[in-house]
Amino acid sequence: MTTMTMKVAREEPAVSHTSRYALPTEPKDNGTRSNLCSGPLILLSHGDPTGFKPFWRSVGDKCKVTIDSCDFMSYLTDVGKVCWFLEKELEEAIRQLHRTVGNAATDDRYIVVGTGSTQLFQATLYALTSPGGPESVNVVSAVPYYSSYPEETNFLRSALYKWAGDAYTFDKEGPYLELVTMPNNPDGQVRGPVVNRNDGKLIHDLAYYWPQYTPITAQADYDIMLFTFSKSTGHGGSRIGWAVVKDEDVAIKMTKYIELNSIGVSRESQHRAAKILGAVSDSSQCIGANFFQYGKSLMAERWTKFREVISRSRLFSLPKYMEEYCQFSGEDTEPHPAFAWLKCNNDIEDLEIFLRRYKIMGRGGRLFGSDPKLVRVSMLGDEETFNLFLERLSSIQDTIGNGNGNGNYI
């Protein structure tokens, strides 16, 4: 699709110290939308993956983990390894899962575990820019980029690196880091690097490169690949992520950052993650109890329902996606992204603010470096919230009426 960018000066706002996960103040009803605003607040601004809970509830005790009070008392797991706090069983489960799915090469690679992929992102920035130089290394990503990249990059005010905005407009000399999210968050598109210069280094964020979201078209084989437990299986609360790293020196530096930042990663969480990732690999060989089959079916059903609601009016539109052959499932399949990149086609200038009036909380396009007529809404929440969202959106369309649709949207 055609990427829309704002024709305004790209001055980064001051870092907000308000939690992005705090519930916002409910919008006030001005008396004209009483029916639409009488229900609960619908929070779709975060990718909280509770939609997968019914599958894991059905598993029962198969993934039950028992931890005695004397277990995991040491900081250390294996001091002979680069990542000395990585549990052996988790490393084995990660490698097995990637072999099963075929989405990333792990042979002759280092696995670095982190407290979610957010910590690993910071560790990667440190590893690729230390010991530093006369100027901070510029960090860029193509619009629409993941909304947290600017804040996470600038949060520590590091002298090693700084956020430099859109990769499409980046023209500064010197070394740079480019963040490539595949498939992309927020719009679900599969894309590659943009700047393509010899003095740059790439970080591939593959949080959503799993069969429930997108066809696995090839085995990813990049220098640094970031993954997260939360989006692969839905277990966000365990706070586990991992990086697949080619270069030993980079893996050592990433490990050092995590050592100084948190003295390792919770061994209890790693133990649980290993059990669940192992169960996912095992279930992939089964019919009926296949987690990825369940996840793909859930996401496909939600996207079908969403598109059906959107098709009743020309007020909103969604991106189109092409079918591709998935090497994991062995069939042609269409992407079903974790987020919907919703566009407003009439004269509403800021879709995030507009939806807030109807107690629908999405994340506005400006935060992604894009157009305020776009909003990212999560497709990952529980069934009740998702259905309520569709009902309210349908009512909004009936109330507002038809707008003008155009372009690569349906």
Side-chain angles (χ1 to χ4, degrees), residues 1-209:
M1 73 177 189
T2 302
T3 301
M4 303 178 68
T5 57
M6 295 293 296
K7 295 182 179 180
V8 295
R10 291 192 178 277
E11 294 184 4
E12 295 300 332
V15 174
S16 170
H17 297 286
T18 302
S19 171
R20 76 185 71 158
Y21 298 102
L23 287 176
T25 302
E26 294 198 10
K28 294 180 180 179
D29 182 8
N30 63 7
T32 63
R33 297 180 295 272
S34 57
N35 291 334
L36 284 173
C37 293
S38 60
L41 187 72
I42 302 175
L43 189 63
L44 301 174
S45 53
H46 312 112
D48 200 16
T50 55
F52 299 128
K53 184 177 288 188
F55 175 87
W56 293 111
R57 185 180 289 116
S58 72
V59 168
D61 291 342
K62 292 180 181 179
C63 291
K64 185 176 181 179
V65 173
T66 301
I67 300 174
D68 290 333
S69 59
C70 60
D71 291 338
F72 308 126
M73 293 185 67
S74 174
Y75 294 111
L76 311 175
T77 57
D78 187 346
V79 294
K81 283 186 170 292
V82 168
C83 188
W84 52 264
F85 44 80
L86 170 61
E87 291 287 325
K88 180 180 179 181
E89 60 180 349
L90 178 58
E91 179 178 4
E92 292 173 349
I94 288 170
R95 294 185 187 276
Q96 180 58 49
L97 183 61
H98 285 302
R99 283 194 294 269
T100 299
V101 176
N103 62 340
T106 59
D107 291 344
D108 301 318
R109 307 292 191 275
Y110 299 91
I111 306 296
V112 180
V113 66
T115 304
S117 60
T118 299
Q119 186 184 44
L120 288 165
F121 173 64
Q122 293 284 357
T124 305
L125 293 180
Y126 166 78
L128 295 180
T129 57
S130 62
E135 295 184 2
S136 302
V137 175
N138 291 299
V139 181
V140 299
S141 188
V143 166
Y145 45 69
Y146 175 41
S147 57
S148 292
Y149 282 156
E151 185 174 7
E152 290 178 9
T153 302
N154 287 339
F155 188 73
L156 298 178
R157 304 298 193 210
S158 173
L160 295 175
Y161 49 82
K162 63 181 179 181
W163 178 250
D166 185 9
Y168 286 114
T169 59
F170 178 71
D171 59 1
K172 297 178 181 178
E173 298 296 326
Y176 68 93
L177 303 180
E178 183 175 353
L179 311 171
V180 182
T181 308
M182 188 189 80
N184 192 41
N185 174 3
D187 62 1
Q189 302 291 346
V190 175
R191 61 189 193 178
V194 170
V195 182
N196 293 312
R197 291 200 324 235
N198 292 331
D199 52 354
K201 297 177 182 178
L202 302 177
I203 303 171
H204 281 82
D205 184 344
L206 305 185
Y208 302 96
Y209 194 46

Side-chain angles (χ1 to χ4, degrees), residues 195-366:
V195 182
N196 293 312
R197 291 200 324 235
N198 292 331
D199 52 354
K201 297 177 182 178
L202 302 177
I203 303 171
H204 281 82
D205 184 344
L206 305 185
Y208 302 96
Y209 194 46
W210 296 101
Q212 66 267 46
Y213 306 120
T214 191
I216 305 302
T217 58
Q219 185 183 65
D221 187 8
Y222 305 111
D223 290 346
I224 302 174
M225 299 179 285
L226 305 182
F227 294 91
T228 171
F229 192 37
S230 65
K231 299 309 185 293
S232 56
T233 69
H235 293 84
S238 294
R239 306 310 306 127
I240 290 291
W242 65 91
V244 182
V245 184
K246 279 188 180 181
D247 185 82
E248 183 178 18
D249 289 339
V250 173
I252 290 173
K253 287 184 177 181
M254 292 177 68
T255 300
K256 185 63 177 179
Y257 176 93
I258 296 170
E259 175 188 331
L260 295 175
N261 184 249
S262 58
I263 319 180
V265 176
S266 167
R267 297 182 65 190
E268 287 90 344
S269 288
Q270 291 189 63
H271 187 59
R272 182 182 190 224
K275 184 78 170 182
I276 291 171
L277 293 180
V280 171
S281 292
D282 293 342
S283 78
S284 297
Q285 313 302 322
C286 303
I287 297 176
N290 186 322
F291 169 74
F292 290 123
Q293 187 179 67
Y294 172 90
K296 178 182 174 182
S297 177
L298 174 70
M299 299 305 295
E301 180 182 9
R302 289 189 173 187
W303 273 95
T304 298
K305 289 180 178 179
F306 197 6
R307 290 191 186 279
E308 197 280 326
V309 169
I310 294 297
S311 69
R312 300 174 194 165
S313 167
R314 295 173 65 83
L315 180 61
F316 301 114
S317 53
L318 292 165
K320 295 178 181 178
Y321 301 105
M322 301 296 294
E323 280 193 353
E324 292 188 89
Y325 181 76
C326 177
Q327 295 182 1
F328 175 74
S329 65
E331 59 185 5
D332 291 335
T333 185
E334 182 179 311
H336 305 104
F339 299 100
W341 196 221
L342 185 65
K343 180 184 178 184
C344 180
N345 296 318
N346 73 357
D347 57 358
I348 296 170
E349 295 183 357
D350 192 311
L351 183 54
E352 179 184 10
I353 292 176
F354 172 79
L355 292 177
R356 276 175 177 262
R357 297 170 185 166
Y358 298 95
K359 298 169 74 173
I360 298 174
M361 314 306 297
R363 195 173 294 189
R366 281 195 180 95

